[in-house]
């Protein structure tokens, strides 16, 4: 017996703006409660909203980054319900004419959870979007025993709702989708999309059915998911729960459930029958928006997206597909990489190796982010340049790197010299090679007979005899020339 899973996500994402959606209050996080409020965001009678142009522009920009279209005219609607965290008793949102329609999110393979990365069922998956609309966030309630307290600082913060088509089939895909979306929004400067700060929140809709020819099952909506890993756990739990019901012949009633991540289970909140009737109607206080003039303004702000950057690294720098995607995923790392290529005079492939395998490894050991690297790309470039010139072997460059990380003001060439990593005097090195060849006739014979690896032994002898520590590769090359 098997089944098919269908998942659609509704992602709420705070737009990065200085002020709120309909008033001039500052957007804030973790400020003194109720200090960023005014009559508009407190819903006082007679207060009138004023549109935040930046929030609209950023949402349109999000649409461009996600290949959405936009209707010519986008309008505002009131969604009516009573909630203490929405004092106007309606939320201003968008119903039938959202700012963005359609679009898609490329799901990056490297964003899958590590345990599935080796066996991704649908590599290169693209999840279609249904729409992106702009609305206002609600206040934050905290429940303390029998009372609740409310902080209106968050009320009225611009909030995008990104709705996917039901294109997702596994919890791992949902996980990778969210990370990819988060990355695109962050790099595009649209949102910080920090889930821990509540800037990115997500509701999950799930249904299952037995086979392709069956209609989609009734969907269950899961709320209260506050991390990407919780989304994965909640989906796995819900699939299991629905599958057990299906086997027992129990049909799902369209409903909303609350995920309890500590207990690892969901509880029923409400079924479709007692769903709210929001009685949407067009907001009489706000004019519809002509999208084209605003789109024209934001089009130049569309930046390179991670998959495009990775493609460029592969094509222009001949970096492997995997390295390219790793570099492109992190903007500070990508910028570091490009400067490193420019300053080292080294190939992109070598620069990527040095950056990912040597520098990043050393920084990780010290818990330092690339953006805080004590070594500037220029300094790393100078070091890598010494490898490029043949002065240093990569193993020697690593030792220089270790010293430089603790003394970043020093010059890479000077540190190399201090460590004794100096090209030996050419004549002296030549003489040393001749000596070692003469002193080891047995090994030389074996090398000539085809045991090429044994040349490393001779290299070692030359290195030992040398007063400085020349680049072993240079020594090997010199020996090879002599033995040919
Ligand atoms: P509503 O406005 O009532 O929440 P939407 O049409 O906006 O309904 O759908 C909400 C989400 O549910 C979308 O992401 C959509 O892809 C998803 N969805 C719709 N039908 C199903 C289904 N049968 N199974 C799983 N997800 C679904
Ligand atoms: Mg919805
Ligand atoms: Zn306000």
């Amino acid at each position: 017996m098997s089944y098919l899973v269908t998942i659609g996500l509704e992602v709420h994402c705070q737009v990065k703006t200085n002020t709120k959606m309909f008033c001039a209050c500052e957007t804030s996080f973790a400020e003194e409660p109720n200090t960023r409020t005014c009559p508009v965001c407190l819903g006082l009678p007679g207060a009138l909203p004023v549109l935040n142009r930046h929030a609209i522009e950023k949402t349109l920009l999000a649409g461009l980054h996600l290949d959405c279209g936009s209707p010519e005219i986008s309008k505002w609607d009131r969604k009516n319900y009573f909630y203490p965290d929405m004092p106007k008793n309606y939320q201003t949102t968008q119903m039938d004419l959202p700012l963005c329609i359609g679009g898609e999110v490329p799901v990056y393979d490297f964003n899958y959870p590590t345990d599935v990365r080796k066996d991704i069922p649908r590599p290169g998956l693209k999840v279609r979007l249904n729409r992106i609309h702009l609305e206002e966030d609600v206040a934050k309630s905290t429940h303390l025993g029998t009372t609740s307290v409310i902080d209106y600082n968050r009320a009225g913060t611009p909030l995008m709702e990104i709705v996917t088509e039901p294109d997702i089939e596994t919890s791992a895909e949902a996980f990778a989708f969210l990370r990819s979306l988060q990355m695109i929004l962050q790099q595009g400067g649209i949102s910080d999309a920090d889930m821990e700060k509540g800037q990115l929140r997500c509701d999950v809709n799930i249904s299952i059915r037995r086979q392709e020819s069956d209609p989609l099952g009734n969907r269950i909506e899961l709320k209260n998911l506050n991390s990407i890993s919780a989304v994965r756990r909640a989906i796995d739990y819900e699939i299991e729960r629905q599958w057990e019901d299906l086997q027992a012949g129990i049909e799902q009633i369209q409903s909303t459930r609350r995920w309890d991540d500590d207990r690892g289970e969901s509880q029923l909140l409400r079924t479709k029958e007692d769903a709210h009737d929001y009685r949407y109607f067009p907001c009489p206080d706000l004019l519809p928006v002509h999208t084209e003039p605003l789109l024209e303004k934001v089009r130049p702000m569309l930046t390179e997206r991670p998959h495009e950057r990775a493609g460029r690294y592969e094509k222009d720098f001949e970096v492997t597909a995997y390295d390219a995607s790793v570099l492109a995923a992190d903007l500070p790392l990508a910028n570091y990489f490009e400067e490193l290529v420019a300053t080292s005079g080294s190939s992109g492939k070598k620069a990527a190796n040095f950056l990912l395998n040597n520098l990043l490894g050393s920084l990780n050991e010290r818990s330092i982010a690339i953006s805080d690297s004590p070594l500037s790309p220029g300094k790393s470039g100078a070091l890598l340049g010494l490898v490029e010139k043949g002065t240093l072997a990569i193993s020697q460059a690593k030792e220089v790197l270790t010293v430089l990380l603790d003394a970043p003001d020093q010059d890479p060439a000077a540190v190399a010299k201090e460590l004794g990593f100096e090209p030996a005097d050419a004549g002296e090195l030549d003489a040393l090679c001749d000596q070692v060849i003469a002193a080891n006739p047995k090994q030389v014979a074996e090398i000539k007979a085809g045991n090429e690896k044994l040349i490393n032994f001779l290299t070692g002898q030359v290195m030992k005899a040398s007063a400085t520590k020349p680049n072993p590769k240079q020594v090997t090359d010199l020996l090879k020339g002599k033995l040919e």
Side-chain angles (χ1 to χ4, degrees):
M1 285 282 226
S2 66
Y3 55 88
L4 298 171
V5 178
T6 303
I7 302 169
L9 305 183
E10 292 164 271
V11 182
H12 285 98
C13 182
Q14 286 186 356
V15 185
K16 192 153 85 178
T17 56
N18 294 329
T19 57
K20 293 187 181 180
M21 189 61 229
F22 301 115
C23 60
C25 289
E26 218 185 315
T27 49
S28 66
F29 178 75
E31 303 285 355
E32 183 72 13
N34 296 309
T35 54
R36 302 293 190 273
T37 60
C38 74
V40 174
C41 57
L42 287 175
L44 301 188
L48 286 172
V50 177
L51 284 173
N52 179 340
R53 170 193 278 265
H54 291 292
I56 297 171
E57 288 172 355
K58 286 244 156 125
T59 303
L60 289 170
L61 185 59
L64 292 180
H65 276 89
L66 300 171
D67 293 321
C68 303
S70 288
E72 219 173 285
I73 286 177
S74 174
K75 75 183 224 303
W76 310 91
D77 300 280
R78 288 185 179 181
K79 181 181 179 182
N80 298 282
Y81 63 101
F82 172 76
Y83 262 133
D85 54 12
M86 182 49 78
K88 297 182 296 185
N89 285 337
Y90 61 83
Q91 179 188 35
T92 307
T93 179
Q94 302 195 285
M95 191 190 61
D96 54 336
L97 287 172
L99 282 166
C100 311
I101 40 182
E104 62 184 22
V105 175
V107 178
Y108 302 135
D109 290 353
F110 57 85
N111 274 337
Y112 279 79
T114 34
D115 53 312
V116 276
R117 212 171 290 164
K118 284 214 173 66
D119 194 17
I120 297 168
R122 298 193 290 169
L125 170 70
K126 287 182 174 151
V127 171
R128 290 169 305 151
L129 296 180
N130 176 280
R131 58 194 269 135
I132 305 176
H133 65 252
L134 186 54
E135 56 190 31
E136 52 182 330
D137 209 345
V138 297
K140 188 169 172 28
S141 339
T142 308
H143 307 289
L144 309 164
T146 53
T147 52
S148 295
V149 290
I150 289 197
D151 176 9
Y152 284 99
N153 285 354
R154 195 179 72 182
T157 300
L159 194 67
M160 295 188 292
E161 181 171 336
I162 303 168
V163 183
T164 78
E165 295 294 347
D167 284 353
I168 297 167
E169 295 179 356
T170 63
S171 61
E173 285 181 359
F175 183 100
F177 163 85
L178 283 170
R179 286 184 33 170
S180 303
L181 175 64
Q182 188 178 39
M183 199 174 261
I184 293 171
L185 295 175
Q186 285 169 346
Q187 293 196 6
I190 294 146
S191 171
D192 292 334
D194 184 340
M195 258 188 140
E196 268 170 33
K197 290 187 179 167
Q199 292 164 337
L200 188 79
R201 313 194 292 268
C202 161
D203 299 337
V204 177
N205 297 271
I206 312 179
S207 65
I208 67 171
R209 56 185 163 149
R210 286 194 187 273
Q211 58 204 25
E212 199 73 49
S213 54
D214 291 347
L216 287 181
N218 287 328
R219 68 184 154 100
I220 305 296
E221 184 181 27
L222 290 174
K223 288 204 176 286
N224 194 43
L225 301 159
N226 46 26
S227 74
I228 295 182
S229 54
V231 168
R232 193 180 179 203
R233 287 188 288 274
I235 291 174
D236 286 336
Y237 171 89
E238 181 60 22
I239 292 172
E240 192 63 33
R241 197 190 64 76
Q242 290 190 22
W243 174 228
E244 278 172 20
D245 278 2
L246 188 68
Q247 283 171 301
I250 303 168
E251 212 188 310
Q252 298 301 317
I253 299 169
Q254 192 182 321
S255 49
T256 302
R257 300 178 71 91
R258 180 184 178 281
W259 174 249
D260 184 333
D261 202 40
D262 292 332
R263 300 171 71 157
E265 58 182 44
S266 64
Q267 298 114 21
L268 181 68
L269 278 181
R270 57 179 176 268
T271 54
K272 198 183 175 184
E273 284 91 90
D274 42 45
H276 306 280
D277 178 357
Y278 294 118
R279 297 192 179 260
Y280 281 96
F281 65 85
C283 180
D285 291 336
L286 292 167
L287 284 172
V289 175
H290 283 273
T291 54
E292 189 44 43
L294 295 172
L295 278 167
E296 209 166 293
K297 187 173 162 203
V298 297
R299 261 183 213 114
M301 298 176 203
L302 175 62
T303 50
E304 190 175 46
R305 292 167 288 182
H307 55 284
E308 292 163 334
R309 191 175 307 123
R312 180 163 63 83
Y313 289 172
E314 251 188 280
K315 195 169 143 280
D316 294 358
F317 296 131
E318 288 171 20
V319 175
T320 63
Y322 184 81
D323 284 356
S325 66
V326 172
L327 291 167
D330 181 1
L331 209 48
L333 185 64
N335 291 336
Y336 199 104
F337 169 67
E338 292 193 26
E339 272 191 69
L340 183 61
V341 174
T343 54
S344 65
S346 165
S347 74
K349 209 181 169 80
K350 280 189 197 157
N353 274 339
F354 176 78
L355 178 55
L356 295 174
N357 302 330
N358 302 129
L359 180 59
L360 217 51
S362 305
L363 291 177
N364 284 344
E365 277 166 24
R366 292 166 166 78
S367 304
I368 302 173
I370 187 75
S371 46
D372 298 328
S373 168
L375 283 197
S376 66
K379 196 139 268 192
S380 292
L383 174 56
L384 192 55
L386 294 176
V387 177
E388 194 60 28
K389 270 197 300 189
T391 310
L392 291 181
I394 193 74
S395 58
Q396 295 173 330
K398 265 165 98 170
E399 286 184 53
V400 176
L401 177 63
T402 306
V403 175
L404 281 175
L405 281 171
D406 294 321
D409 292 337
Q410 293 204 47
D411 175 51
V415 173
K417 202 167 175 182
E418 256 167 58
L419 292 173
F421 300 150
E422 256 189 289
D425 173 83
E428 199 178 300
L429 196 60
D430 203 66
L432 275 178
C433 286
D434 288 340
Q435 274 173 34
V436 167
I437 288 173
N440 297 281
K442 222 178 86 197
Q443 282 81 358
V444 168
E446 272 191 58
I447 293 167
K448 285 189 170 161
N451 185 356
E452 283 175 20
K453 270 196 190 152
L454 209 56
I455 199 143
N456 294 333
F457 168 78
L458 298 186
T459 303
Q461 297 300 308
V462 175
M463 296 289 289
K464 248 188 229 165
S466 169
T468 65
K469 296 176 194 159
N471 180 348
K473 190 173 171 301
Q474 233 174 9
V475 175
T476 306
D477 288 346
L478 195 59
L479 284 167
K480 269 187 190 158
K482 287 180 182 292
L483 293 178
E484 247 157 31

